[in-house]
């Protein structure tokens, strides 16, 4: 048991190499048929993450398999929209020409015209989960892009 613990501690101290990350990305995308049109959801400016590293790897993997278009959706929630420059930096894009299949770089919005109903949480479910305090059905609304004909929607979190 001590040896297993030491191995775990050592793995936490090792840098996560780009080749290892690329392997994880490729393995995660392997089960999917050739993908022509993809939507990638990514965190906004308020999150420190590895979107700038992952996007390039995801793009390269999909491009090698025939990607025709990848749109992105900044998961802004209630934060302000990002500028084009902020989105490009977040995605790690210095030169857009290097990503010929890159389509729309969109911002999520809670404007009614940007939302579609995806379903409903039933009143009985809500009543059960809130111990009877809220027993009304709640409509679930999502960004309209989630209903567009994408072959795959990828979320970076």
């Amino acid at each position: 048991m001590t040896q297993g613990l030491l191995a775990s501690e050592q793995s936490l101290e090792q840098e996560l190499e780009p080749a290892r990350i690329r392997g994880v990305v490729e393995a995660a995308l392997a089960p999917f048929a050739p993908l022509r049109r993809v939507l990638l959801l990514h965190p906004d400016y308020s999150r420190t993450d590895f979107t700038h590293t992952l996007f390039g790897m995801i793009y390269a993997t999909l491009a090698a398999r025939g990607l025709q278009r990848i749109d992105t959706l900044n998961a802004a929630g209630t934060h302000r929209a990002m500028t084009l420059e902020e989105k490009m930096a977040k995605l790690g894009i210095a030169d857009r020409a290097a990503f010929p299949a890159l389509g729309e770089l969109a911002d999520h919005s809670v404007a009614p015209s940007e939302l579609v109903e995806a379903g409903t949480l039933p009143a009985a479910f809500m009543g059960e989960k809130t111990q009877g305090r809220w027993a009304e059905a709640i409509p679930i609304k999502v960004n309209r892009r989630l209903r567009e004909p994408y072959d795959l929607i990828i979320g970076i979190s």
Side-chain angles (χ1 to χ4, degrees):
M1 179 144 159
T2 304
Q3 198 148 4
L5 180 59
L6 289 175
S8 295
E9 288 174 356
Q10 288 173 348
S11 68
L12 290 175
E13 293 174 4
Q14 295 173 353
E15 185 175 331
L16 194 53
E17 299 291 330
R20 190 169 166 199
I21 299 170
R22 189 173 297 104
V24 170
V25 167
E26 289 171 358
L29 294 173
F32 300 101
L35 304 166
R36 303 285 181 243
R37 191 163 182 239
V38 173
L39 176 64
L40 182 122
L41 309 174
H42 66 84
D44 71 359
Y45 64 89
S46 70
R47 304 289 183 252
T48 302
D49 58 25
F50 299 98
T51 298
H52 63 286
T53 300
L54 291 172
F55 177 75
M57 292 177 183
I58 291 168
Y59 183 92
T61 300
L62 296 175
R65 296 171 60 194
L67 178 70
Q68 292 177 356
R69 181 181 172 114
I70 185 168
D71 295 324
T72 69
L73 179 59
N74 157 32
T78 58
H79 295 137
R80 67 166 172 80
M82 292 173 70
T83 66
L84 177 58
E85 293 77 21
E86 287 173 320
K87 286 183 252 187
M88 298 281 280
K90 185 69 171 183
L91 296 168
I93 300 171
D95 178 13
R96 188 175 176 134
F99 298 85
L102 184 59
E104 180 182 18
L105 304 179
D107 288 293
H108 174 64
S109 169
V110 295
S113 62
E114 291 292 309
L115 302 175
V116 294
E117 193 164 321
T120 304
L121 292 174
F125 174 83
M126 292 305 301
E128 175 188 330
K129 296 302 177 188
T130 64
Q131 291 80 42
R133 289 187 210 111
W134 185 282
E136 296 178 33
I138 298 177
I140 300 169
K141 294 188 177 189
V142 298
N143 189 286
R144 67 176 171 74
R145 288 168 184 83
L146 296 177
R147 287 283 183 95
E148 291 181 12
Y150 289 103
D151 298 318
L152 182 66
I153 298 173
I154 300 170
I156 295 178
S157 177

